[in-house]
Amino acid sequence: MICALIIGRHGSAGFPGKNLHPVLGRPLAAYQLIAARDASAVDRTFLSTDWPALGAVAVRYGATVIARPPHLANATALGEQAFVHGCEVIRDALARDGASLDLLVLLFANAATVTAATIDMAVAVMNARPDLDSAVTVSCYNMWSPLRARRIGADGLLQPFAPFEAFGDPATLTCDRDSQGEVWFADMGLSVVRPHCLERLEDGVLPQRWMGRRIHPIKQWGGLDVDYDWQIPLVEYWLRAHGVDAATEDAYEWSHI
């Protein structure tokens, strides 16, 4: 079977309550739930959380709630650990029904830049390419090329984040944002992975080890996960550009979850 697993916890220092923040009249996490529900390739959807209110939204959209343990729901817990736990729960649940887990569609409750069509596309790639560990959405952000990255040094001044020699001959480098070619970032919209990526997490490549090593890019634009409130208009722009209309649900109902 192919299952979707969405993770989202309650606490957020940078943007409290972000997973249920209203976006075009729906909670932010609703869009991932809708995408998984409407994807023809997804058989079942699960949401792992420690937040009853987020769990209630998941149930409304037909998902099964996984209770996220406290040690995986604090500020130091990594998302990859929650994915591993969720995978174990799903695998055991399927085994009780005599089924097995073929692929996992991994989603974040704060990353709404995903559609059902994109999920189906990524699953199709994985089915056609058994040599792949994963297929993930990526967005091109040349303006954030590593060449442009800086750190604040001990003297309080800006320094290159990485030595310029890492990008070639410093004498030939320019300030053109396209000088390094296209710079693609895994935008956290979607990762379709084989279960072994989570069963042997240590074999994966940093920083998102759940993607394994042979990672196929699913190109899109503007993908992002929300960490701050100023990103909400960007998500709304992306959703409208992908044909999503404002919700007809009662806004009062969502505000009182």
Side-chain angles (χ1 to χ4, degrees), residues 22-208:
V23 175
L24 298 182
R26 301 178 183 89
L28 176 61
Y31 296 95
Q32 300 81 292
L33 289 159
I34 292 170
R37 181 197 65 189
D38 293 349
S40 60
V42 174
D43 298 303
R44 293 183 63 181
T45 300
F46 296 81
L47 183 140
S48 170
T49 188
D50 62 326
W51 192 3
L54 182 55
V57 173
V59 170
R60 173 164 181 158
Y61 287 102
T64 299
V65 176
I66 296 174
R68 188 161 164 176
H71 72 280
L72 297 181
N74 55 53
T76 61
L78 299 176
E80 64 183 26
Q81 297 167 332
F83 279 141
V84 169
H85 173 262
C87 178
E88 293 171 349
V89 173
I90 293 170
R91 185 184 55 204
D92 291 345
L94 295 183
R96 289 193 292 271
D97 295 333
S100 60
L101 181 61
D102 300 311
L103 293 173
L104 263 177
V105 176
L106 302 181
L107 303 161
F108 286 90
N110 66 325
T113 51
V114 62
T115 67
T118 303
I119 293 175
D120 286 336
M121 180 193 307
V123 169
V125 168
M126 293 296 289
N127 286 335
R129 294 279 307 275
D131 60 307
L132 297 175
D133 290 326
S134 63
V136 309
T137 53
V138 295
S139 294
C140 186
Y141 290 123
N142 291 357
M143 73 290 283
W144 292 334
S145 165
L147 177 63
R148 293 186 161 200
R150 300 288 185 268
R151 69 170 80 242
I152 299 177
D155 57 1
L157 302 179
L158 289 178
Q159 304 292 338
F161 195 87
F164 287 140
E165 288 76 9
F167 306 98
D169 182 356
T172 65
L173 300 177
T174 75
C175 62
D176 181 1
R177 71 173 188 167
D178 299 320
S179 64
Q180 296 300 297
E182 293 185 338
V183 181
W184 294 91
F185 288 81
D187 58 31
M188 301 299 102
L190 168 69
S191 301
V192 178
V193 311
R194 302 196 192 281
H196 72 249
C197 293
L198 296 172
E199 294 164 357
R200 300 193 299 273
L201 189 67
E202 65 279 2
D203 293 340
V205 178
L206 289 171
Q208 293 94 22

Side-chain angles (χ1 to χ4, degrees), residues 187-241:
D187 58 31
M188 301 299 102
L190 168 69
S191 301
V192 178
V193 311
R194 302 196 192 281
H196 72 249
C197 293
L198 296 172
E199 294 164 357
R200 300 193 299 273
L201 189 67
E202 65 279 2
D203 293 340
V205 178
L206 289 171
Q208 293 94 22
R209 296 192 297 172
W210 66 81
M211 296 178 184
R213 289 187 172 274
R214 294 185 57 81
I215 306 167
H216 181 85
I218 303 295
K219 294 180 180 180
Q220 63 172 4
W221 61 266
L224 74 155
D225 55 333
V226 173
D227 290 313
Y228 303 100
D229 55 0
W230 57 263
Q231 294 174 292
I232 294 297
L234 305 179
V235 175
E236 292 183 331
Y237 179 89
W238 190 97
L239 290 169
R240 287 193 178 99

